[in-house]
Amino acid sequence: QVQLVESGGGLVQTGGSLRLSCAASGRTFSSFSSAGMGWFRQAPGKEREFVSAISWTGSNTYYADSVKGRFTISRDNAKNTVYLQMNSLKPEDTAVYFCAAAPVYGRNWPTRPRAYDYWGQGTQVTVSS
């Protein structure tokens, strides 16, 4: 019922920037007013980890300590799109990045994958040293 498509990944040098986009179809952002959208990443051999999230109500934002001050999450309701602006990229940021939608708030919001019911296919981000 809800489809999420990530884009904007690629290869960048250390210190560079990328902006990821997550376009939602099937529902508008207003359909997720009780929760929000999040970004996760997964590097080879590692578990999926929380990166950032934004709530629909109040536009509250959340960031993992590892990206705080470097990444910025935002949304554009008119385009049904969530963005992740990534600056000052480091090699340890290399991973497949996934966007996800959480229909309702709960004890797992916003940092745990189990809070999210819908996931995109992922986009590769590679940061070279």
Side-chain angles (χ1 to χ4, degrees), residues 15-89:
S17 299
L18 286 172
R19 188 175 76 157
L20 305 183
S21 299
C22 176
S25 62
R27 292 184 181 273
T28 63
F29 284 172
S30 63
S31 299
F32 300 96
S33 60
S34 61
M37 300 284 294
W39 287 96
F40 289 76
R41 65 187 182 187
Q42 188 166 22
K46 295 185 178 181
E47 294 184 350
R48 190 167 299 184
E49 67 172 338
F50 171 76
V51 177
S52 185
I54 184 169
S55 65
W56 302 132
T57 302
S59 297
N60 298 315
T61 57
Y62 310 85
Y63 298 95
D65 288 342
S66 59
V67 307
K68 193 171 298 182
R70 300 188 297 121
F71 291 10
T72 303
I73 190 170
S74 61
R75 70 172 190 244
D76 187 334
N77 287 353
K79 297 181 179 179
N80 266 359
T81 301
V82 173
Y83 303 97
L84 185 68
Q85 178 67 45
M86 306 186 296
N87 298 325
S88 302
L89 284 163

Side-chain angles (χ1 to χ4, degrees), residues 70-123:
R70 300 188 297 121
F71 291 10
T72 303
I73 190 170
S74 61
R75 70 172 190 244
D76 187 334
N77 287 353
K79 297 181 179 179
N80 266 359
T81 301
V82 173
Y83 303 97
L84 185 68
Q85 178 67 45
M86 306 186 296
N87 298 325
S88 302
L89 284 163
K90 307 173 181 179
E92 52 261 45
D93 295 319
T94 296
V96 176
Y97 283 70
F98 300 88
C99 69
V104 299
Y105 292 117
R107 61 183 177 180
N108 297 309
W109 169 262
T111 61
R112 296 190 180 277
R114 64 176 62 93
Y116 300 82
D117 288 351
Y118 306 99
W119 294 82
Q121 80 287 349
T123 185

